[in-house]
Amino acid sequence: MIDTEPPVPDPDLPVTDDPSPADIAALDDAIHAFNVEATGIDDGRLLAILMRGPDGTPYAGLHGHSWGGCCEIKVLWIAASHRGAGLGTRLLQAAEREAVRRGCRQIVLTSHSFQAPGFYEQHGYRRLAAIEGYPAGHAQVVLTKRLGDGS
């Protein structure tokens, strides 16, 4: 028989949906330090490109990081009012140029099926996997592109 009672929270493990930016940064720093110790690779750098309106508000941009010969794009976003003007292509190409400048040999990213996997494929990215049901009724698509070797 399946237990229908909700699980009792562990008082020693407080759960939040509103962590502080400092707490998130501390976790990011800790895993980065572990990764550096495990691999000996210490060239990790953040990457961000922002396009701002006259009031300073971003209307398009991307962010991610480079580390160990790889660049990961975490977010590429364009406000609805600016879509269709080629900004996504410009942002992606700028990130690729910077990744090459940093010595990266590939870019990896994910895109949900309702976002833009086709856009990335049109720009030479190859679909590696799709995680169905993330979120429900959709998929998260993992894509990669080799840099500097024409493939």
Side-chain angles (χ1 to χ4, degrees):
M1 175 179 245
I2 297 175
D3 186 4
T4 58
E5 293 293 317
V8 177
D10 183 335
D12 294 328
L13 296 173
V15 176
T16 182
D17 60 0
D18 189 24
S20 74
D23 287 341
I24 297 301
L27 292 173
D28 286 343
D29 290 346
I31 195 65
H32 176 72
F34 173 85
N35 293 345
V36 168
E37 184 177 330
T39 65
I41 301 170
D42 189 17
D43 65 351
R45 295 172 57 193
L46 294 175
L47 170 67
I49 305 168
L50 294 168
M51 302 176 87
R52 299 178 186 274
D55 66 353
T57 303
Y59 62 85
L62 67 73
H63 78 81
H65 67 272
S66 60
W67 179 58
C70 184
C71 179
E72 180 178 8
I73 296 174
K74 300 292 285 180
V75 171
L76 189 157
W77 170 82
I78 301 164
S81 60
H82 288 80
R83 292 182 190 146
L87 298 181
T89 296
R90 288 179 58 204
L91 287 165
L92 194 58
Q93 289 173 343
E96 290 173 2
R97 284 191 302 271
E98 178 61 16
V100 168
R101 192 186 72 72
R102 293 181 183 193
C104 295
R105 295 174 302 282
Q106 68 176 332
I107 293 185
V108 297
L109 57 86
T110 61
S111 179
H112 288 290
S113 55
F114 58 87
Q115 291 175 327
F119 165 80
Y120 295 111
E121 289 171 323
Q122 290 172 358
H123 287 83
Y125 287 74
R126 185 171 54 95
R127 189 178 295 229
L128 295 180
I131 303 165
E132 297 298 330
Y134 180 41
H138 303 279
Q140 183 176 44
V141 180
V142 180
L143 301 113
T144 187
K145 181 177 181 178
R146 299 290 304 163
L147 298 173
D149 62 3
S151 57

